[in-house]
Amino acid sequence: MVKAHTFHIPVMGIAYTIDTPLKVSQYGIDSVISLVDDILLEKLRKMYCEKFKIPFKEITNKVKDFRAKRITSYLNLLNDLTKKRFEDIKNAVNKKELKKYIDLLSEKSEIKKKLNKINVDSYDFKKLKIWLAENISIGNIDVNIMTKLDKENYLKGEKLPDKYNDAHAALRGFAMSDLSSSIILSAGMNPKLYSYIEQFEDFYPDYNGNIKKKIVLKVSDYRSALIQGKFLAKKGLWVSEYRIESGLNCGGHAFATNGLLMGPILEAFKENRNDLITSVHQILINALSDKNRVIPQKKIQLKITAQGGVGTAEEHNFLINEYNLDSIGWGSPFLLVPEATTIDKHTMNQLIEAKEKDLYLSNISPLGVPFNSLRGNTKDLEKRLLINKGKPGSACPKKYLSLNNELGGKHICTASRKYQYKKLKELEKEDLTPKELHHKKRKIFEKSCICVGLGTSALLVNNIDTTIEGKGVSVCPGPNMAYFSKEMSLKEMVNHIYNKNEITNSDRPNMFIKELNIYIEYIKNKVKKIDLSSTDKQKKYLQTFVKNLQTGINYYLKLFTEKKEIFENIKTNILQELSDGNKILNILNSEIENTQITEKELVLA
């Protein structure tokens, strides 16, 4: 069955899309839930059970395998509730919702063209039911696991087996659920976790090539996709979708490439798509044969999708048409759509008011990965208040980011009070100037308790007790958020995606140019830090980075020059920005080379 929409709503934070499927799945829109916080999922499950008068039995942390069981129970609840809402639409029981389903479709949609010819109020009910059953589809309840968040767990001081690690348990929770959807694996390859997928039947293809639970890999380049796809294929597991995400022009953690830009990356997937399918498929068939498993006799579906920084219908359509993509992820703008996401009013107002300078790449994440953040978010204000009181760090009530082992013993979170206290004690033993001490303290204090902060909005919106978590909210929008400045209905947002209305600010740059400029700022900061003590390897990395950006610029110059009909209103600005970018990169390259020459001259001297 053809998908209803050409966009999806990616995972945002821990809780911003925690119940998005319940809001949009009935309209055929796919969305993604984070599986980081099982404590929060259990609280939401209780709240929804009470709301819909469904019997609820709490899964406490005394229950064996409680994390996986909480996740399974929450996903099953959402599955049941969304299916009920969709059935009411599909069976034409709720005609108001059916009309909304139709209204949200793109004008180009074949389903909409046919439905527009039908008068829902007077059409033969039986015929309408049959037609709807054969033509409209429910949106997927997909889930996300950050593969790096695979914390070890203990019981009575004894380390539990790997299958009870956080990511393993989350995967098991999804695998044991009733869902027929996808698991999106992000933040890089985790061989141990990937191998664990083999244990669950739902991830294998049947005779017709259908897979109940599909694997989606979030990747930043073609080479990574090929390596990971082959790794999983050797285990008899097929990657059903490669979800390409812009390294820096997206929300959440920012996994920068070494200067590879979105356009050339998408071009590589477009050129190599058939080779990717053929090479990985053969490995899969061999592995399934070795395992004495069913060999699919029909073609297994493979999708290529993209997300990160998309903000206009023109960009949306260009990506689909130019690169043959199956869907485009629209993330940050949906934070201004309460009908689709769960966000407290105060934070949403902050996002509405946010300008470019307010959205920045921070070092607040305990993962040690750059993290998109909003200046003045209430979690940061809460953090500063604790520092001023002489009690820096978080009480660490959930410990999902307890992954640091530099202090020995059990892993600990770098945003926790315990870790920061120990690091401050270490500083007391060092002979530091006041300036050095201030600098090192700042580096300790900058880490924030995002595993709690990214979930708080859902508690505030639903009036759930926050005594343990506090009321501080972390938020992680992409840079694109600066160009959306009003609260929107779901209809307004979807209309914007499908070119029925324009709601971005007029000064918004093209998504490719925005990504390029972010990367240029990123590499400028790296180049500033090189000196004579920098190694040849470090300098070579910087040169490769600059070269890749220049290659990307040349690709865009050719693309935008040859394709006369695209981005006509802003093409002059685009070409000028590309030219300016090239000049800056030439200067940066000279600075790197001059450092190397100076070093050689010193050696000769």
Side-chain angles (χ1 to χ4, degrees):
M1 190 176 286
V2 177
K3 294 297 293 182
H5 293 279
T6 57
F7 75 92
H8 59 271
I9 303 175
V11 65
M12 285 186 275
I14 286 174
Y16 295 113
T17 56
I18 197 164
D19 53 0
T20 292
L22 193 54
K23 300 177 179 184
V24 303
S25 287
Q26 63 267 35
Y27 307 122
I29 300 171
D30 295 345
S31 59
V32 188
I33 295 172
S34 167
L35 298 186
V36 168
D37 191 344
D38 61 284
I39 299 171
L40 182 60
L41 293 177
E42 184 70 354
K43 288 183 178 182
L44 267 288
R45 186 172 73 90
K46 180 182 179 184
M47 186 267 293
Y48 275 120
C49 282
E50 289 173 353
K51 181 177 180 179
F52 293 105
K53 296 180 171 55
I54 298 168
F56 171 79
K57 183 179 180 182
E58 184 182 4
I59 301 170
T60 71
N61 57 9
K62 291 182 171 59
V63 174
K64 186 179 180 182
D65 204 19
F66 65 86
R67 176 170 167 79
K69 287 176 180 174
R70 284 172 176 171
I71 289 169
T72 300
S73 297
Y74 181 74
L75 295 179
N76 285 346
L77 175 67
L78 281 198
N79 193 35
D80 291 341
L81 293 174
T82 54
K83 276 186 174 179
K84 172 66 171 64
R85 291 183 176 186
F86 179 68
E87 288 299 315
D88 286 349
I89 292 174
K90 190 172 72 171
N91 294 323
V93 172
N94 191 330
K95 290 186 178 179
K96 181 182 177 183
E97 286 291 273
L98 174 57
K99 288 176 180 177
K100 185 172 181 178
Y101 186 107
I102 298 167
D103 198 33
L104 289 172
L105 295 171
S106 164
E107 296 299 330
K108 297 176 183 177
S109 165
E110 290 302 318
I111 300 171
K112 182 160 190 170
K113 289 175 184 176
K114 291 174 184 176
L115 282 168
N116 279 339
K117 296 176 182 177
I118 298 172
N119 186 327
V120 171
D121 293 317
S122 60
Y123 198 76
D124 182 275
F125 185 72
K126 287 183 179 178
K127 286 183 180 179
L128 180 61
K129 270 184 69 174
I130 293 169
W131 192 92
L132 290 172
E134 293 174 348
N135 288 276
I136 70 169
S137 58
I138 191 169
N140 280 352
I141 303 174
D142 295 328
V143 303
N144 172 250
I145 290 178
M146 280 188 73
T147 58
K148 292 180 184 295
L149 302 188
D150 201 19
K151 175 178 64 72
E152 297 173 346
N153 288 302
Y154 292 77
L155 181 64
K156 297 179 181 178
E158 294 291 321
K159 182 184 172 303
L160 293 169
D162 289 341
K163 72 174 186 176
Y164 294 106
N165 289 2
D166 277 3
H168 282 66
L171 189 148
R172 183 166 59 257
F174 170 68
M176 301 307 292
S177 74
D178 299 332
L179 290 177
S180 179
S181 61
S182 301
I183 185 167
I184 292 102
L185 300 169
S186 62
M189 189 168 170
N190 181 338
K192 192 186 293 184
L193 182 68
Y194 283 15
S195 299
Y196 185 55
I197 302 172
E198 285 184 88
Q199 298 189 23
F200 302 101
E201 194 65 31
D202 283 358
F203 289 99
Y204 291 96
D206 66 14
Y207 183 83
N208 293 313
N210 298 316
I211 304 172
K212 184 175 181 181
K213 290 187 169 66
K214 299 178 178 65
I215 298 170
V216 175
L217 296 183
K218 198 183 283 187
V219 294
S220 57
D221 59 61
Y222 178 76
R223 181 175 172 273
S224 171
L226 186 61
I227 290 170
Q228 293 185 72
K230 286 183 174 180
F231 181 90
L232 286 160
K234 288 174 183 176
K235 301 177 182 303
L237 301 166
W238 178 254
V239 176
S240 296
E241 179 187 330
Y242 294 95
R243 188 162 286 191
I244 304 151
E245 185 172 63
S246 169
L248 293 181
N249 201 18
C250 60
H253 286 91
F255 296 93
T257 66
N258 60 343
L260 297 173
L261 296 172
M262 191 76 155
I265 292 169
L266 291 173
E267 187 70 36
F269 275 90
K270 177 183 173 181
E271 290 178 356
N272 296 291
R273 186 171 188 157
N274 289 334
D275 289 341
L276 175 64
I277 293 170
T278 304
S279 60
V280 176
H281 186 265
Q282 189 55 55
I283 295 170
L284 175 82
I285 297 304
N286 293 340
L288 291 172
S289 178
D290 291 342
K291 288 172 173 273
N292 292 317
R293 283 194 163 272
V294 171
I295 307 295
Q297 298 303 301
K298 293 185 179 179
K299 186 179 178 182
I300 308 180
Q301 187 182 51
L302 176 75
K303 290 183 177 181
I304 308 290
T305 65
Q307 59 196 44
V310 186
T312 67
E314 188 175 18
E315 290 173 353
H316 178 92
N317 293 326
F318 173 75
L319 290 176
I320 287 174
N321 297 328
E322 177 64 24
Y323 300 108
N324 302 323
L325 299 178
D326 297 283
S327 181
I328 306 298
W330 283 69
S332 298
F334 271 100
L335 289 171
L336 303 185
V337 185
E339 280 182 78
T341 56
T342 298
I343 183 166
D344 62 284
K345 195 71 176 175
H346 177 79
T347 303
M348 185 169 65
N349 287 337
Q350 284 186 302
L351 292 174
I352 288 170
E353 297 297 324
K355 309 301 180 196
E356 287 181 345
K357 63 181 174 58
D358 302 310
L359 304 162
Y360 72 111
L361 207 55
S362 74
N363 292 313
I364 68 172
S365 172
L367 287 181
V369 178
F371 184 77
N372 284 283
S373 191
L374 170 71
R375 296 189 197 281
N377 68 78
T378 54
K379 193 66 181 175
D380 278 358
L381 297 178
E382 182 185 274
K383 179 178 71 175
R384 283 182 212 146
L385 188 64
L386 288 170
I387 291 168
N388 293 337
K389 285 183 176 180
K391 295 181 179 179
S394 165
C396 204
K398 296 188 174 179
K399 297 180 171 57
Y400 295 124
L401 296 182
S402 295
L403 302 168
N404 185 284
N405 197 30
E406 66 179 283
L407 299 177
K410 287 184 184 178
H411 289 72
I412 193 170
C413 178
T414 55
S416 69
R417 188 163 299 150
K418 184 177 180 181
Y419 174 87
Q420 294 193 3
Y421 176 79
K422 288 189 176 183
K423 295 302 287 185
L424 290 172
K425 284 294 182 185
E426 287 180 6
L427 292 185
E428 291 176 6
K429 299 174 185 176
E430 296 182 32
D431 186 20
L432 301 170
T433 65
K435 187 177 180 180
E436 290 170 332
L437 180 63
H438 176 72
H439 175 72
K440 290 199 172 187
K441 277 186 174 182
R442 277 190 65 184
K443 286 191 76 72
I444 293 169
F445 294 156
E446 69 185 350
K447 301 305 177 189
S448 183
C449 183
I450 59 172
C451 80
V452 169
L454 288 173
T456 309
S457 249
L459 299 176
L460 296 174
V461 169
N462 293 296
N463 296 313
I464 298 173
D465 182 56
T466 61
T467 303
I468 295 172
E469 294 87 353
K471 294 187 177 181
V473 175
S474 302
V475 64
C476 50
N480 201 23
M481 189 78 256
Y483 314 111
F484 292 83
S485 54
K486 68 169 189 173
E487 182 177 334
M488 295 170 280
S489 68
L490 180 60
K491 183 178 178 180
E492 282 180 296
M493 187 68 237
V494 175
N495 282 350
H496 174 72
I497 294 171
Y498 291 143
N499 205 21
K500 293 180 188 174
N501 63 317
E502 190 70 35
I503 55 178
T504 51
N505 296 346
S506 58
D507 61 345
R508 181 186 178 277
N510 172 269
M511 62 172 288
F512 292 132
I513 296 302
K514 180 67 177 178
E515 183 196 40
L516 170 65
N517 288 335
I518 295 171
Y519 264 109
I520 287 175
E521 284 302 309
Y522 182 85
I523 193 62
K524 274 168 73 174
N525 291 328
K526 296 282 186 185
V527 172
K528 275 181 191 175
K529 295 175 183 176
I530 65 168
D531 54 32
L532 298 182
S533 65
S534 300
T535 65
D536 288 340
K537 185 178 179 182
Q538 289 170 322
K539 291 167 188 172
K540 188 171 179 59
Y541 164 77
L542 295 175
Q543 287 178 312
T544 301
F545 201 112
V546 170
K547 184 180 178 182
N548 285 339
L549 288 178
Q550 289 174 320
T551 300
I553 287 176
N554 291 335
Y555 168 83
Y556 287 138
L557 285 169
K558 185 172 184 292
L559 177 74
F560 294 132
T561 302
E562 289 181 353
K563 295 190 177 295
K564 306 291 184 186
E565 73 285 358
I566 61 166
F567 306 119
E568 290 178 279
N569 296 337
I570 57 171
K571 186 167 287 188
T572 302
N573 290 341
I574 288 175
L575 294 174
Q576 184 60 54
E577 290 269 14
L578 292 171
S579 176
D580 292 344
N582 242 337
K583 291 174 185 175
I584 294 169
L585 292 172
N586 286 333
I587 293 169
L588 291 174
N589 218 13
S590 296
E591 289 179 14
I592 299 166
E593 287 176 359
N594 287 339
T595 307
Q596 291 177 314
I597 292 167
T598 306
E599 188 175 19
K600 288 173 184 175
E601 287 173 348
L602 283 171
V603 172
L604 290 172

